[in-house]
């Protein structure tokens, strides 16, 4: 038997894992189909990573979840499934059309009532959340413009409860984080984000590289320490 390669077989392995774990999901497939029909880019998380978000958010008992970057609501559905009906997902999206598609997808998924979509630049929505939110967030998923990941880290830490989890998508980008990235603000943003996680004593950071239907990428997992560590 010969070794296989992640580049050639990663997608087939994803398909096998989805099949064995019973993750085929008509609600999520319908949300993707609608997003495609509406002209949205094909950059939602994969089915496996969507389930990972659900499992992680549920594992820490999330009641309030913050998402930065909604697109058509694929990951939002995965996050909304992790909270009880009286919980809330607040999701931030710049593009009004993306937000409309997400709203319809969440409605069809039966989850619209536990999701608040804030339309506009995430930096502004985050500022207003800081001024108005009484209760902190248990879980944050950062997945919008990569250049602003350092800002999104600061804001989501400020909005987090002790022990909260922050997950950041796309921190590897086919290895492009190795490029110094002086002329690529996305790469510079991700590199700065990672350095800040490492430098901040309030944070306990991890990251992992991934392969599969979305190719070579990775995500960071950041825990906001409780006072005792
Ligand atoms: N989380 C989604 C994918 C998000 S794609 C999923 O996995 O299903 C990134 C999204 O971030 C896009 O919809 C884009 O419009 C949005 N975005 C980009 N810049 C933004 C900004 N400054 N503020 C808020 N959203 C932004
Ligand atoms: C892009 C953005 C994403 O959030 C992602 O998961 C994949 C690709 C992009 O902007 O190309
Ligand atoms: Mg992403």
């Amino acid at each position: 038997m010969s070794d296989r390669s992640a580049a050639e077989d990663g997608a087939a392995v994803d398909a096998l894992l989805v099949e064995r774990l019973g993750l085929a999901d008509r609600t999520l497939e319908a949300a993707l189909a609608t997003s495609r029909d509406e002209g949205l880019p094909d950059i939602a998380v994969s089915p496996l990573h969507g389930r990972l978000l659900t499992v992680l958010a549920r594992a820490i008992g999330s009641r309030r979840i913050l998402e930065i970057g909604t697109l058509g609501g694929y990951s939002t559905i995965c996050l909304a499934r992790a909270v009880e009906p009286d919980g809330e997902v607040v999701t931030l999206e710049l593009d009004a059309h993306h937000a409309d598609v997400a709203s319809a997808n969440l409605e069809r998924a039966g989850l619209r009532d536990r999701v608040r979509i804030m339309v506009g630049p995430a930096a502004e929505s985050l500022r207003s959340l800081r001024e108005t939110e009484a209760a902190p967030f248990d879980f944050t998923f950062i997945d919008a413009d990569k250049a602003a990941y350092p800002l999104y880290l600061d804001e989501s830490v400020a909005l987090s409860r002790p022990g909260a989890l922050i997950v950041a998508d796309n921190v590897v980008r086919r290895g492009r984080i190795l490029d110094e990235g002086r002329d690529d603000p996305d790469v510079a943003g991700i590199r700065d984000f990672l350095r800040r996680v490492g430098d901040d004593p309030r944070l306990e950071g991890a990251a992992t590289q991934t392969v599969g239907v979305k190719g070579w990428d990775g995500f960071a997992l950041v825990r906001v320490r409780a006072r005792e560590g």
Side-chain angles (χ1 to χ4, degrees):
M1 188 166 336
S2 61
D3 281 355
R4 293 176 177 274
S5 89
E8 283 174 31
D9 299 315
V13 171
D14 260 30
L16 182 135
L17 294 172
V18 164
E19 187 262 315
R20 287 301 145 113
L21 295 175
L23 301 188
D25 186 315
R26 288 159 81 161
T27 301
L28 288 173
E29 282 160 18
L32 264 194
T34 308
S35 300
R36 203 176 300 123
D37 291 348
E38 291 289 338
L40 272 51
D42 183 24
I43 54 175
V45 292
S46 69
L48 285 170
H49 287 168
R51 174 53 77 96
L52 183 63
L53 291 174
T54 306
V55 168
L56 287 173
R58 216 195 286 277
I60 63 162
S62 301
R63 300 177 58 83
R64 292 177 45 75
I65 296 178
L66 173 64
E67 177 177 62
I68 307 174
T70 316
L71 192 64
Y74 186 97
S75 55
T76 320
I77 291 172
C78 299
L79 294 168
R81 284 173 168 172
V83 299
E84 300 294 320
D86 63 344
E88 187 179 35
V89 178
V90 178
T91 185
L92 316 183
E93 175 54 53
L94 176 65
D95 185 305
H97 179 57
H98 293 184
D100 285 345
V101 173
S103 179
N105 281 332
L106 286 157
E107 189 73 52
R108 268 188 297 274
L111 294 164
R112 186 64 186 88
D113 55 350
R114 65 184 84 165
V115 178
R116 186 179 1 148
I117 306 175
M118 296 177 74
V119 182
E124 284 177 22
S125 300
L126 287 162
R127 196 177 319 129
S128 114
L129 284 171
R130 276 237 240 175
E131 284 160 11
T132 58
E133 288 307 279
F137 290 97
D138 306 296
F139 189 98
T140 299
F141 182 46
I142 300 177
D143 195 22
D145 46 324
K146 315 307 170 196
Y149 269 32
L151 172 74
Y152 299 155
L153 177 70
D154 279 355
E155 294 288 337
S156 50
V157 171
L159 286 162
S160 286
R161 69 156 163 87
L165 203 56
I166 299 169
V167 176
D169 197 22
N170 309 117
V171 300
V172 174
R173 309 208 95 194
R174 295 172 203 269
R176 280 169 51 211
I177 57 158
L178 291 173
D179 306 335
E180 287 293 330
R182 258 185 289 276
D183 48 0
D184 184 334
D186 290 352
V187 170
I190 290 164
R191 289 171 62 101
D192 186 25
F193 167 90
L194 293 168
R195 189 201 312 279
R196 283 170 187 238
V197 170
D199 284 349
D200 191 330
R202 298 171 301 173
L203 304 178
E204 185 175 23
T208 190
Q209 303 188 59
T210 55
V211 295
V213 284
K214 298 284 170 177
W216 178 25
D217 210 325
F219 55 85
L221 271 174
V222 182
R223 179 171 170 275
V224 181
R225 292 185 201 273
R227 195 197 285 274
E228 61 276 16

